[in-house]
Amino acid sequence: MKTGKEANKVKLITPFVMLLGTAIISIHTYLQRFAMGDWLVIVLGSAVLFLILGASLEKMITYFMRINQEKEDAERAAEEAEMAEMEAEAGEELDIDAEGGDTDPREFKQ
């Protein structure tokens, strides 16, 4: 995962989905004048359903964020290895020039 702020935002997905979905269902069933027993069963069932959907959505987002973070880490490591290799080659060329003394120092400017 990236930062604490992003992790906290992802953790809020489940309750937000659950509360929003259940609120919509409960208002709809109340306006349809369902009996109180039926209304409670429908609201409880929708709360459980939206809890499962929210948790699944949160897990999918967390999974994709982890994959993206691993890709970024691999790219960063490859760039660092490339930079280290270039620095090592530049250091070897400078050592060779120090021994020979014939080369023009402007050849190594990039």
Side-chain angles (χ1 to χ4, degrees):
M1 298 291 280
K2 292 211 179 223
T3 62
K5 289 181 181 180
E6 289 181 7
N8 289 337
K9 288 179 183 178
V10 171
K11 288 182 180 181
L12 291 175
I13 290 174
T14 299
F16 182 74
V17 168
M18 179 185 151
L19 290 174
L20 181 65
T22 303
I24 292 170
I25 296 293
S26 66
I27 291 170
H28 177 69
T29 55
Y30 179 77
L31 293 176
Q32 295 294 319
R33 307 259 184 225
F34 277 78
M36 184 57 75
D38 294 340
W39 184 81
L40 288 174
V41 170
I42 291 170
V43 169
L44 180 63
S46 67
V48 171
L49 176 71
F50 284 112
L51 175 68
I52 293 169
L53 290 174
S56 299
L57 181 64
E58 180 181 327
K59 288 192 183 302
M60 287 185 344
I61 290 173
T62 303
Y63 174 75
F64 288 120
M65 287 177 67
R66 190 178 76 236
I67 288 175
N68 288 338
Q69 183 65 35
E70 289 172 358
K71 285 181 184 177
E72 289 175 6
D73 291 344
E75 288 174 1
R76 191 175 310 117
E79 288 176 4
E80 289 175 1
E82 185 178 323
M83 291 297 289
E85 183 179 322
M86 289 175 61
E87 288 176 1
E89 288 176 3
E92 290 174 4
E93 290 175 357
L94 290 177
D95 289 341
I96 293 171
D97 289 340
E99 293 172 3
D102 292 340
T103 58
D104 186 6
R106 291 177 286 179
E107 290 178 3
F108 298 106
K109 283 192 177 182
Q110 294 180 354

